[in-house]
Amino acid sequence: MMKVLVMDGVAEQGLVPLRRQPDIEVVIGEKMTEDQLVEVIGQYDALIVRSATKVTARVIEAANKLKVIGRAGVGVDNIDRNAATNKGIVVVNAPDGNTIAAAEHTMAMMLALARKVPAACGKLKNGCWDKKAFLGVELRGKTLGIIGLGRIGSAVAKRAQAMEMHIIAYDPYIAEEHARKMAVEIVTLQELFKRADFITVHMPKTKETYHMINKEAFEQMKDGVRIINCARGGIIDEAALYEYMVNGKVAGAALDVFETEPCTDSPLLQLENFIATPHLGASTQEAQINVAVDVAEEIVAALRGELVKNA
Ligand code: NAD
Ligand code: MLT
């Protein structure tokens, strides 16, 4: 029997492709420390995680039977891929299943920022009917700057176009043809900072994108800009964001992801025009089933020595 350890509450309905295999045993793991994972990982042929479990070099070092690590989602930044590759362990992800969930969450954040929904709701729940305090702005006619026009960035562009926004984007790695077909104007990063009323980031966290939205970037932005990050913590320098929200340059910001997660004590959380969610971008019933099915199918293929699509 081959054994697959499933962590981080990956959707049970999505594990059907694994449970159908007579020679594969599925073990659902509880939250573990690195030490606990190091202790048990040697028994397993495959491991499935979302973002909570960190698959470090130490874990991989102890993983003597492991053939494949599956990420039920897009970002593989919680897995030490170099260590895995050096040990001959394949890393697969599920890049398509949560695109719509993350794009819809981005739209929810943008609308909530524009109309100050969380602050108004909080005040009303505290017994205060304060109609005057929450004058918002419309999305129609505003310029949305999208950094990273991949799957989620493109899905956001399409939805924002339906809100009659003008879309500009910066992405040095996409084909111009893709942007042209979507009626998105490709601009330099400097131009995006200068023109956008709303800025949303949709790229992976890499050495290149780490703190890409920093003091220097905020200086170039329009007064009253609103910022959204439903991609990865660390793309926005949170200390700089706080400074530019307090000095009034940034009218509002919405973060779903933080440089350190869980994040419960950031000074940003004290600001009324700051909206936060606890990494919920992919948290829809649909997306969680999609990514679990996709990754389970990839794990079966990898364990059988067949071709995997998303390595
Ligand atoms: P994707 O690979 O389809 O798109 C990423 C895009 O970023 C690509 O087009 C790439 O060319 C671009 N890019 C890379 N480096 C760049 C740079 N330096 N400047 C500008 N663009 C750059 O990925 P995706 O599925 O759209 O996911 C985007 C991000 O969202 C990832 O970080 C992913 O982990 C994250 N994500 C978060 C959640 C959540 O729960 N909040 C859910 C899904 C995905
Ligand atoms: C992803 O990269 O897919 C997200 O972080 C989603 C998740 O929370 O798993």
Side-chain angles (χ1 to χ4, degrees):
M1 282 298 269
M2 291 182 279
K3 280 175 87 178
V4 180
L5 177 62
V6 182
M7 299 296 293
D8 303 338
V10 169
E12 179 55 43
Q13 288 145 287
L15 299 177
V16 174
L18 280 170
R19 294 208 186 271
R20 258 197 228 122
Q21 310 300 317
D23 56 345
I24 293 180
E25 183 192 346
V26 176
V27 177
I28 306 295
E30 295 297 323
K31 193 172 168 17
M32 285 185 218
T33 61
E34 188 188 36
D35 284 345
Q36 288 169 326
L37 192 53
V38 164
E39 210 164 291
V40 299
I41 196 67
Q43 309 163 35
Y44 294 97
D45 299 274
L47 169 67
I48 302 183
V49 297
R50 279 187 69 190
S51 56
T53 298
K54 311 293 172 220
V55 191
T56 60
R58 268 192 70 217
V59 172
I60 288 166
E61 178 64 38
N64 287 326
K65 280 172 71 184
L66 206 67
K67 294 168 195 70
V68 53
I69 302 167
R71 164 70 161 99
V74 184
V76 286
D77 41 303
N78 56 321
I79 300 166
D80 189 326
R81 271 189 295 173
N82 287 336
T85 308
N86 290 340
K87 221 166 176 213
I89 298 168
V90 183
V91 177
V92 294
N93 71 346
D96 301 302
N98 61 27
T99 301
I100 300 306
E104 288 185 359
H105 197 66
T106 305
M107 296 307 292
M109 291 295 227
M110 188 152 55
L111 285 160
L113 269 183
R115 302 305 293 270
K116 307 180 181 180
V117 175
C121 176
K123 208 157 184 186
L124 187 50
K125 284 188 171 179
N126 281 327
C128 179
W129 183 274
D130 193 352
K131 198 167 152 80
K132 284 204 190 88
F134 300 109
L135 187 67
V137 292
E138 291 179 4
L139 297 187
R140 184 178 67 158
K142 299 293 187 303
T143 297
L144 172 63
I146 300 180
I147 309 181
L149 196 63
R151 292 178 188 84
I152 299 167
S154 299
V156 168
K158 198 168 162 188
R159 281 150 185 78
Q161 280 164 341
M163 310 294 293
E164 300 182 56
M165 298 185 87
H166 176 67
I167 319 296
I168 59 177
Y170 169 73
D171 188 328
Y173 306 110
I174 50 141
E176 269 186 36
E177 175 66 4
H178 170 67
R180 207 181 45 75
K181 271 195 194 146
M182 295 195 62
V184 169
E185 185 187 346
I186 291 293
V187 295
T188 63
L189 191 56
Q190 288 67 31
E191 196 176 344
L192 184 144
F193 289 151
K194 206 164 93 190
R195 287 174 51 193
D197 301 297
F198 288 80
I199 295 176
T200 182
V201 297
H202 297 287
M203 61 283 206
K205 183 163 96 179
T206 62
K207 277 188 195 135
E208 193 190 357
T209 62
Y210 179 73
H211 283 194
M212 191 164 171
I213 309 297
N214 53 18
K215 269 180 162 210
E216 205 187 331
F218 286 119
E219 278 301 323
Q220 297 173 61
M221 291 177 197
K222 269 188 178 177
D223 289 343
V225 65
R226 290 174 172 84
I227 317 266
I228 301 140
N229 183 2
C230 290
R232 273 292 173 275
I235 292 175
I236 297 181
D237 175 348
E238 288 164 21
L241 175 63
Y242 181 79
E243 185 184 331
Y244 283 79
M245 288 189 77
V246 169
N247 74 19
K249 174 93 181 176
V250 175
L255 302 190
D256 180 48
V257 286
F258 293 82
E259 196 160 336
T260 305
E261 293 181 8
C263 168
T264 51
D265 58 359
S266 166
L268 286 164
L269 295 168
Q270 305 307 318
L271 303 177
E272 193 185 67
N273 51 350
F274 178 75
I275 299 174
T277 46
H279 203 141
L280 295 184
S283 293
T284 63
Q285 293 170 3
E286 297 85 347
Q288 285 314 304
I289 294 172
N290 292 342
V291 294
V293 169
D294 290 350
V295 87
E297 284 172 350
E298 289 282 81
I299 295 279
V300 173
L303 290 178
R304 303 256 173 264
E306 292 163 9
L307 205 65
V308 290
K309 285 180 289 187
N310 299 306

